[in-house]
Amino acid sequence: MRRYNFIFSIISIFLLITSFLLAQPVKTFDAAQIELALKKLNTLGSVLYIAAHPDDENTAFLSYCSSGKLLRTGYLSITRGDGGQNLIGDEQGGLLGVIRTQELLQARRIDGAEQFFTRAIDFGYTKSAEETFKLWNKEKVLSDVVWIIRRFRPDVIVTRFPTSGEGMHGQHTASAILALEGFKLAGDSSAFPAQLEYVNVWQPKRIYWNGWTPAFNRMGINSDTLISINIGAFNRLLGKSYTEISAESRSMHKSQGFGSSGWRGNRINYFLYMDGKKAKNDLFDGIDQTWNRVKDGKKIGKLITKIISEYDPENPERIIPDLITAYSELGNIKDDYWAQIKGREILELIRACAGIWIEAISDEQTVTPGSDFVVKTGIVNRSTVPFVLEGVYINYQAADSVMDKTLLTGEFVENKKEIRLPDDIQTTQPYWLRYPREGDLYNVPDQTLIGLAQNSPPLIARFRLLFNKTSLVFSTPVQFRKTDPTKGEVYSPLIIAPLATANFENSLYIFPSNNKRKINVILKNFSDEISGELKLSAQNGWQIEPSSFDFDFENKSDEKQFTFTVSPPSNTETAELTAKVIIDDKSYTKSSVTINYDHIPRQVVFPEAKVKLLKLDLGKKVVNKIGYIKGSGDKIPGYLRELGYEVNYLTDTDFSNGNLSGYDVIIAGIRAYNTDKWLAVYQPKLMEYVENGGTYIVQYNTTRKKYAQPGPYGFNISHDRVTEENAKVKFINPNHPLLNFPNKITEKDFNGWIQERGLYFANEWDNDYEPVLEMNDITELPKKGSLLYARYGDGVFIYTGLSFFRELPAGVPGAYRLFINLISAGKYDEQN
C-alpha cells in the first residue's frame, strides 16, 4: 500500500510540473475551448509520438490527436537539439538546447500536446544508428524511453522515423529503434526494475510508423493498404484545420528557421504497423476510451455526459456544481492515473467556467538564497458561484494566513506574502545542466526528473477555495511581471541567483605570441550589500597578475570590472582559466547568461565561470582588414579580432555605396546565401572585387534555396558531410598554398576537432576549382568537396564546408592555423 501511494504521489508531481511548463499565466478558456475540454473530459485515451529532435514532430498529427481525437497527447524528443544550428543568435550547445526546449514548449502550448525528453545529447549529424549508439549510452537512453512510457502510459506509440534508415540521419533511426525496444520492454517487470519503485509497468497496445509516401514507394509499400488519417481536417470549434494549427506550432521553431504557412485542405498521412496488436481501420481500434475502462468509472461518465448536454456557452457557470460533484467522485474510482489526469482537467474547467484569474507576482525578478522579498497574490471570481477563499499558501512564506472570504463577483482580492528563502535553496539552473555531462548524456541523478521538459517552478502559490464543503486548490507559479510600452504585460520566471557571478568577456582568449594580455572579468551582485574576493586560477604554468581583487557592493544589480594580466608559458598550448568569488568564506563559481527572445520566456542560466586559453604559433600576419557578411549565428568575427584583425560587418548599404577594395579579404558567414536576399543583387560586385585582386571566402550553405550562386564558376552544394570528427584527412596536393602559407599544415592540425569535420560539401565543380582536401567517414567513399580554391582574375575565391564555426569557438589550434591560411590566400604570390 505504501508503494501504491508513493506511485500516486509521483504521478501527481509529474502532472503538477507539466502543468507549469510556461512562464505565462494560464489563459482562461473561451466558450469553444470549454466545450472542447468538456468532450475531452469524457475521453480516456493517450498517444505518445517519438522522434529524435525538436522540430522532428508532426505537429498536425499532435493537434489532430489532442483536439480532434481528444486524447492525452505527448511528444518525446530523444534530444533537446543541442547540436543543431541557430538562425536567431550565437548560442550553441547547451544554451541552444535551452532555447529549443522552450520553443518546443511554446509549440505544445499551441497544439495541445505535452513535452518530454531523454538525457541524450544531440551531438550533430550521424549517418547510422550504430554510430549514434557508439556515442550515446544506448542502455541509459533506452531506460529513459521505458521510464517515460511507464509514466505517460500511452495506448498507442507513433514514431516519426522507421528503424530501417529512411530518416536519413542516424539519430532519426536510433529514435525509432529506441521507441520499438521501449514498447517491448515497458511492460516487462524484469526490464529496468529499479524504476518500479516509482511507476508500474505499462504495455501500450500497438506501435506504428507515421511514414511518408516517397519512402513507402521506395520500400515497395502501397500506401492504400495502410492506416490513414486526414490531418488536414477542420475543427469547427477551433475554427482551424489541424494543419493550420500545425503551422502556428511549427513556426515556434524560430532558431531553425521553420516558419510555416498553414495548409487548408485535406492532407492524408499513412501509418505502417511496427508491433503490438494490429489495427484494422483506425490507430485506436479496440481501445476503450470511455470511463468504462476505469473501475467504478461509469457514474462519472454519465455525469460528464449530462454536463456536456447542459453546457450553455452563454452561461458556463451553470455546470460548475456538477463539475465539482464529478471532481469529488474521482476519489471513488480505482485508477489513480486517470483520477489525477481528469482531476487536473476538471479543475481547469471549473476555473474557466467561473472566469477565475489567479496570479502571484514577485516584487523582484531575481532573488538569492536566504533573501526576503514580497509576493503579491491576486484572485478574481467572475461568476456568481459563491466560492470561499480559505487562504493562499506559497512555499517559504514567513507566515500562513487564513482568509475565509467569500469571493464576490468581479472583486479582485489581493494579499501580500512575505517570503524568506532558505540559505540552502538551489539556484536556478536547468536540471540537465546542473551537473557535468557524462559523454553525450546529461547527468541527472534524480530519477523523478528524467523526462521532464524543465524544472518545476521554485515557488508555487496555491489558492484554497471551498464550495459546498468541497475543497479546490488552484495553483500558479510565482512570476515577475512588467509592462512593456510595446508588448504590454510581460511575464518571466522568478530567478534564484547566486550572491554574485563572474563573467569573462569572451569564452576563449587567444595568445598569438608569448606576449601577455589583459583579461577583464565582470562581477555582478545579485544580493544587497556584500564584500569579498575575486580570484582567478589557471593550469599548466599560466601566470596571473594580480591573483585576486577585493571588492564590495552596496546595491543589488551593481556590476564592477576587474582587469587581470595573463601570461602564457613557453611550452603549453591550452589551459583553462577559472574565476571564483569568495563571500563570507563561501565560494561561488558561476557566471550568468540571459537568453532573451520574444517568442520564448526569458531564460537565465548559470554556467561555470571558466574560459579556455589558447596560445597559437602562427605564421606571418599578411592580412589586416576583413569584411564579414553575417550569416546565421557564428562567432568567427570575434575570434578574428582576438587575433588582431580589423573586422567590419558588411551590409547591403556597404555594397551599394562603398568601395570594397579597402578589404584584404571578405568572408561570408554560414548560410549567408540562404538567408541574405540582397546577395542576389550584389553578387556581381563581389565577383568584381575578386577579379580585381580580392579574396572571397564562402562558408557552408545548405541545399535549400540560395539567393545567388556563390562562386565565379559553377559548383554544386550537396548533402555530403563527414560526421566523424577524427576522420583521416588526406592532402590532395601537399604543396598547395592553402596548406603552406603562412602556416605549414600537417595531420596534427586536424587533431582535437569537435562534432564533425564539415558539412554541405560540394560534390560537383568546374575544372577551374582545385579541391584541396580529401576525407570520408569510415564506411563511405572519399569526398573532395570540403575545400575548393579558384583563381579568378587577380583574386582568389574559396568555398569551404569545414565546420570552422564550431572549431574556432572550441579553440582547436589546427583549425585556426588553417583558417589563417585561407584568409591569407590572396597574399601568397606577393609573399613568395
Side-chain angles (χ1 to χ4, degrees), residues 490-721:
V490 178
Y491 291 83
S492 58
L494 179 70
I495 303 299
I496 301 178
L499 296 188
T501 57
N503 277 49
F504 293 94
E505 292 179 315
N506 302 317
S507 59
L508 171 69
Y509 289 91
I510 302 172
F511 294 73
S513 66
N514 286 321
N515 295 335
K516 60 187 177 182
R517 63 172 296 179
K518 296 185 183 301
I519 292 180
N520 296 324
V521 181
I522 309 298
L523 199 61
K524 183 168 184 178
N525 175 34
F526 288 99
S527 185
D528 297 318
E529 185 176 351
I530 59 171
S531 60
E533 181 184 15
L534 171 63
K535 299 182 69 173
L536 294 191
S537 59
Q539 316 153 314
N540 304 330
W542 290 68
Q543 300 298 313
I544 303 167
E545 295 180 356
S547 61
S548 66
F549 282 99
D550 292 331
F551 68 85
D552 60 82
F553 285 110
E554 293 183 359
N555 301 306
K556 185 175 183 177
S557 300
D558 281 353
E559 295 183 359
K560 291 185 178 182
Q561 178 177 292
F562 298 91
T563 302
F564 296 83
T565 300
V566 178
S567 303
S570 58
N571 59 349
T572 303
E573 199 168 52
T574 64
E576 186 176 84
L577 179 67
T578 60
K580 179 166 61 176
V581 182
I582 303 172
I583 303 170
D584 295 332
D585 295 324
K586 185 175 181 180
S587 295
Y588 300 86
T589 61
K590 300 294 185 181
S591 61
S592 61
V593 177
T594 299
I595 300 172
N596 236 336
Y597 294 103
D598 287 345
H599 66 299
I600 60 174
R602 176 178 180 265
Q603 302 293 303
V604 180
V605 183
F606 296 103
E608 289 295 315
K610 61 183 181 180
V611 294
K612 188 173 184 177
L613 304 175
L614 174 62
K615 191 182 79 168
L616 285 174
D617 179 18
L618 297 176
K620 181 180 178 181
K621 182 181 177 184
V622 296
V623 168
N624 292 304
K625 192 173 183 181
I626 299 173
Y628 203 93
I629 301 170
K630 192 171 185 180
S632 57
D634 76 69
K635 300 180 179 180
I636 286 178
Y639 297 111
L640 293 176
R641 294 186 184 110
E642 278 279 300
L643 292 171
Y645 296 101
E646 179 186 346
V647 184
N648 298 323
Y649 281 112
L650 301 180
T651 66
D652 54 344
T653 303
D654 296 298
F655 281 87
S656 61
N657 300 327
N659 182 356
L660 301 180
S661 63
Y663 292 100
D664 296 308
V665 59
I666 295 176
I667 304 171
I670 59 175
R671 298 191 184 190
Y673 281 85
N674 299 126
T675 58
D676 294 333
K677 294 181 180 180
W678 55 266
L679 281 173
V681 177
Y682 296 110
Q683 181 67 16
K685 191 164 187 177
L686 276 165
M687 292 301 97
E688 179 185 345
Y689 161 79
V690 177
E691 189 174 21
N692 291 334
T695 298
Y696 184 38
I697 301 169
V698 175
Q699 297 178 81
Y700 91 84
N701 286 265
T702 71
T703 56
R704 295 180 185 177
K705 179 180 178 181
K706 296 183 288 296
Y707 291 106
Q709 167 59 251
Y713 314 111
F715 71 96
N716 183 65
I717 297 172
S718 72
H719 286 283
D720 286 355
R721 60 178 73 200

Side-chain angles (χ1 to χ4, degrees), residues 52-57 75 77 79-86 88 91 93-108 115 117 122 250 252-258 432 453 595 597 599-600 603:
H53 310 108
D55 72 39
D56 283 345
E57 76 275 24
Y75 173 47
S77 177
T79 76
R80 296 177 185 266
D82 337 64
Q85 305 302 310
N86 184 358
I88 60 174
E91 296 89 353
L95 294 180
L96 178 58
V98 171
I99 292 172
R100 299 190 72 184
T101 294
Q102 293 300 318
E103 288 179 336
L104 274 176
L105 292 176
Q106 294 298 320
R108 298 296 82 82
Q115 184 61 52
F117 297 96
D122 175 10
R250 191 160 180 78
M252 288 297 102
H253 295 294
K254 299 184 187 303
S255 68
Q256 306 305 296
F258 277 2
W432 63 94
I595 300 172
Y597 294 103
H599 66 299
I600 60 174
Q603 302 293 303

Side-chain angles (χ1 to χ4, degrees), residues 311-312 314-321 353-354 382-385:
Y311 170 62
D312 177 3
E314 293 288 337
N315 191 6
E317 68 181 64
R318 287 181 179 175
I319 64 173
I320 290 177
C353 291
R382 290 172 281 198
S383 73
T384 60
V385 177

Side-chain angles (χ1 to χ4, degrees), residues 136-187:
W136 289 346
N137 182 321
K138 182 186 176 184
E139 193 71 2
K140 287 187 177 180
V141 182
L142 179 59
S143 76
D144 292 355
V145 173
V146 170
W147 167 257
I148 293 161
I149 292 172
R150 287 171 172 173
R151 241 179 161 178
F152 187 75
R153 292 173 55 173
D155 295 317
V156 175
I157 293 177
V158 177
T159 71
R160 188 55 179 139
F161 303 105
T163 60
S164 51
E166 279 75 14
M168 306 300 291
H169 190 317
Q171 292 180 19
H172 291 170
T173 305
S175 73
I177 292 171
L178 290 165
L180 183 57
E181 293 185 14
F183 170 85
K184 295 175 180 178
L185 293 175

Side-chain angles (χ1 to χ4, degrees), residues 456-467:
S456 174
L459 273 74
I460 297 171
R462 294 173 173 85
F463 295 75
R464 299 190 300 267
L465 273 63
L466 189 67
F467 176 80

Side-chain angles (χ1 to χ4, degrees), residues 356-372:
I356 292 174
W357 171 269
I358 56 175
E359 63 181 35
I361 306 301
S362 169
D363 63 351
E364 302 275 359
Q365 187 171 22
T366 304
V367 296
T368 57
S371 63
D372 299 328

